[in-house]
Amino acid sequence: MSEAQTATSQTLNFQAEVKQLLHLMIHSLYSNREIFLRELVSNASDACDKLRFEALDNGALYENDSELKIRIGFDAEAKTITIADNGIGMSRDEAIAHLGTIAKSGTREFFGKLTGDQQKDANLIGQFGVGFYSAFLVADRVTVLTRRAGLPAGEGVKWECSMAGDEAGAYTVEQIDKPGRGTEITLHLREGQDDLLSSWKLKSLIRKYSDHIVQPIVMKKEEWNEEQSKQVPTDEDETVNQASALWSRSKNDITDDEYKAFYKHVAHDFDEPLAWTHSRVEGRHEYTNLLYVPKNAPFDLWDRNARHGIKLYVKRVFIMDDAEKLMPTYLRFIRGVVDSADLPLNVSREILQESKDIDTIRAGCTKKVLTMLESLANSEDEADKEKYAIFWKAFGKVLKEGVGEDFANKEKIAGLLRFASTQLDSADEVASLADYIGRMKEGQDKIYYVTAETFNAAKNSPHLEVFRKKGIEVLLLSDRVDEWVTGNLSEFDGKPLVSVAKGGLDLGALEDEAEKKEAEKAADEFKDLLDRMKASLGERVKDVKVTLRLTDSPACLVADEHDLGMNLARILKAAGQEAPVSKPILEINPSHPAVLRLQYEDKNFDDWAAVLFDQALLAEGGTLDDPATFVKRINQLMMAMSGN
């Protein structure tokens, strides 16, 4: 951070990411310039909520002014719009941190996804959250006057930034006197924004985007002046918005547009929500919840320690905006509010950790969300099916975590899961476990799956050969989290889940007697070969067996029934975790020419056995410990076969 400093003033440069975001935002979001007011009013509302919460323990923070409100005004001659609140305010350090920094995980990934296509980038920028910076959509200079509640009047802060000319990207911070706490933001409008300088226009934007804000948004009342032949402001205030908690109103009184507008406020999201559920629970525990599923995944979705978005209220008094205890980790993408009638107003994070009331609310909210997702997933309506497909693409991998985290709802979550399968042979995850069971062949009593590091590795796995021959569907699992799912989900609807890469494969009624007899006969015929191969491969294998699971490949590797799967072992190793040491079983195809040749091979037997093992390891998705020797063996065998 470069800086030039005087006794009271400091000039600082924006983070490089902020400069980049501002440039992209001004060009990509300009057609949605109206959102600047929504974003700034939302921030002002949050500041008021935070003051009310901190004042629960320290009433002096109100400074004899407990009527929280947001004031909006304009000056047509100076071409400015002002948004002011008497909320918590900011100290000097907070102003620099909040206004000059994007402190979000996923920042680098966000910029990497930008395409240069303004329409696509607009969605990404909105998804990332524009907040305060949306001011620069309509202003080329922004002045912020702020003082944190509880600090003396002399510790006010003036923050100013111009995005015009040579000064673009730098801002100044200086200490000022500010008698009243809170924040006042003045937008010095750029050319072409004069239509915003009217009471009617600003009021219409407030009613369109911010009607649900809990605090009153006030403006000066206007009256018609005959002499001037125009509306002129008076000294009287009027409240422009409804200023009532939207979630406390009856569902029948709330329009879809109001629900969507509230989502954008509560989630600070640019896009509309995918779905929502709103309910009031009465009885031993009384609370209201309004919970939303976003359309897009936030950039910190994979940061399990990030604070996430359920706002907790008690009797409509804001308590905290990231009450992670209200939603299990696998539903960390859910946004919304919970308003309890039972919790104490001075509830803290520590109290939430132990509260039985919170456990009840959490269980109730979780069921509401899962039921909402079920109704989308199982709907006959094409629009709902499309919504679920969008949801699954954005959040499916996270939902899968719930199979092992939420025992009480395991079956419900399992019913919501979607997988790729050999039925379509595409990477699209559209097959549910219920769909799979509905398509089972007569006599089939198991759900078969294969796990691999990539979709293509799963789709082309040699373990599938007998299943493809018999037309038996197999789920193709290539997400790392799928190992977690199959490790925690042993059955669904009474049907066990079975890996096709485990030894002792039993196709039950799908195997005919002739096949079983053929397998027994082959095991006898190839007994000497199996013993020789096992001796040759030594410590690399647990056993060598004949298999009928292969039709095209000469050999494959399987894990013993109770051993760790080879894909899971690789995942653990890549994550730096110790995996239990278990050797694979090599299964050979007795009808393959390479295996038949090996029966009569003496001179190069060890090389052929090693090549068969290494090929099977590669086909299974593994990596060779010594690739150079593998290549050397292949070359030697090719030379020997050509007679050189």
Side-chain angles (χ1 to χ4, degrees), residues 242-495:
Q242 282 201 29
S244 67
L246 177 121
W247 64 86
S248 66
R249 290 159 51 192
S250 165
K251 284 197 282 192
N252 299 332
D253 297 339
I254 306 172
T255 65
D256 281 1
D257 285 343
E258 286 178 310
Y259 274 124
K260 290 171 185 175
F262 183 70
Y263 166 76
K264 290 176 180 178
H265 161 67
V266 82
H268 292 284
D269 193 351
F270 178 71
D271 216 340
E272 291 184 350
L274 194 63
W276 61 84
T277 176
H278 182 194
S279 59
R280 179 175 285 119
V281 177
E282 292 173 341
R284 198 161 70 83
H285 295 280
E286 194 175 321
Y287 62 93
T288 300
N289 57 42
L290 173 51
L291 305 169
Y292 293 91
V293 178
K295 262 187 193 167
N296 301 299
F299 282 90
D300 58 357
L301 182 66
W302 294 105
D303 180 358
R304 287 171 61 92
N305 297 316
R307 290 283 170 80
H308 296 287
I310 305 296
K311 287 179 181 273
L312 174 63
Y313 288 77
V314 173
K315 301 181 183 75
R316 297 180 208 173
V317 174
F318 172 78
I319 302 298
M320 61 187 73
D321 59 5
D322 49 20
E324 66 274 17
K325 278 288 285 179
L326 289 172
M327 201 56 68
T329 314
Y330 72 92
L331 294 178
R332 56 187 176 274
F333 50 85
I334 297 294
R335 301 290 181 259
V337 299
V338 169
D339 189 350
S340 168
D342 305 323
L343 292 170
L345 278 172
N346 62 349
V347 68
S348 65
R349 288 192 188 282
E350 290 69 35
I351 291 172
L352 288 184
Q353 296 295 329
E354 307 297 328
S355 171
K356 290 280 182 275
D357 291 341
I358 284 292
D359 291 342
T360 304
I361 293 172
R362 172 191 170 111
C365 290
T366 300
K367 278 199 165 57
K368 277 288 174 192
V369 170
L370 295 177
T371 301
M372 168 174 55
L373 293 175
E374 270 183 338
S375 67
L376 288 179
N378 301 327
S379 173
E380 294 299 316
D381 182 39
E382 287 302 319
D384 282 347
K385 287 180 182 174
E386 177 61 25
K387 281 182 183 177
Y388 194 76
I390 292 168
F391 161 77
W392 184 258
K393 198 169 181 184
F395 303 110
K397 289 182 185 176
V398 193
L399 188 69
K400 285 177 179 178
E401 295 172 9
V403 172
E405 287 181 7
D406 188 352
F407 184 78
N409 292 300
K410 185 195 283 193
E411 196 77 6
K412 224 178 185 33
I413 298 164
L416 292 168
L417 302 183
R418 297 292 181 267
F419 303 99
S421 92
T422 54
Q423 204 238 353
L424 292 178
D425 255 359
S426 81
D428 297 333
E429 294 184 328
V430 294
S432 70
L433 294 174
D435 291 338
Y436 181 101
I437 289 171
R439 292 192 290 263
M440 274 184 170
K441 295 184 76 68
E442 190 176 343
Q444 184 180 346
D445 58 358
K446 298 180 182 71
I447 298 170
Y448 294 105
Y449 68 87
V450 64
T451 58
E453 291 207 20
T454 65
F455 169 74
N456 281 332
K459 176 185 170 183
N460 298 313
S461 169
H463 299 112
L464 299 181
E465 290 176 10
V466 71
F467 292 90
R468 290 193 184 280
K469 178 184 170 186
K470 290 178 174 291
I472 302 167
E473 184 176 356
V474 178
L475 300 176
L476 305 173
L477 312 184
S478 53
D479 288 339
R480 289 195 159 198
V481 71
D482 287 331
E483 290 284 4
W484 167 260
V485 172
T486 55
N488 286 282
L489 188 67
S490 57
E491 64 169 46
F492 179 78
D493 198 17
K495 305 284 191 293

Side-chain angles (χ1 to χ4, degrees), residues 191-217:
E191 288 295 318
Q193 305 299 318
D194 292 6
D195 62 315
L196 295 170
L197 295 167
S198 89
S199 183
W200 175 85
K201 178 67 172 178
L202 292 173
K203 284 176 182 173
S204 69
L205 292 181
I206 292 165
R207 290 184 180 122
K208 180 177 179 181
Y209 292 114
S210 305
D211 205 40
H212 54 269
I213 295 289
V214 178
Q215 296 81 13
I217 302 171

Side-chain angles (χ1 to χ4, degrees), residues 27-63:
H27 291 89
S28 298
L29 290 188
Y30 184 72
S31 59
N32 298 85
R33 65 178 182 129
E34 293 178 349
I35 64 158
F36 84 92
L37 195 61
R38 180 190 82 202
E39 294 291 323
L40 296 179
V41 167
S42 280
N43 287 351
S45 172
D46 288 347
C48 291
D49 278 342
K50 282 168 184 166
L51 174 67
R52 181 181 279 130
F53 176 58
E54 287 196 21
L56 290 173
D57 289 331
N58 181 6
L61 292 176
Y62 279 129
E63 299 176 8

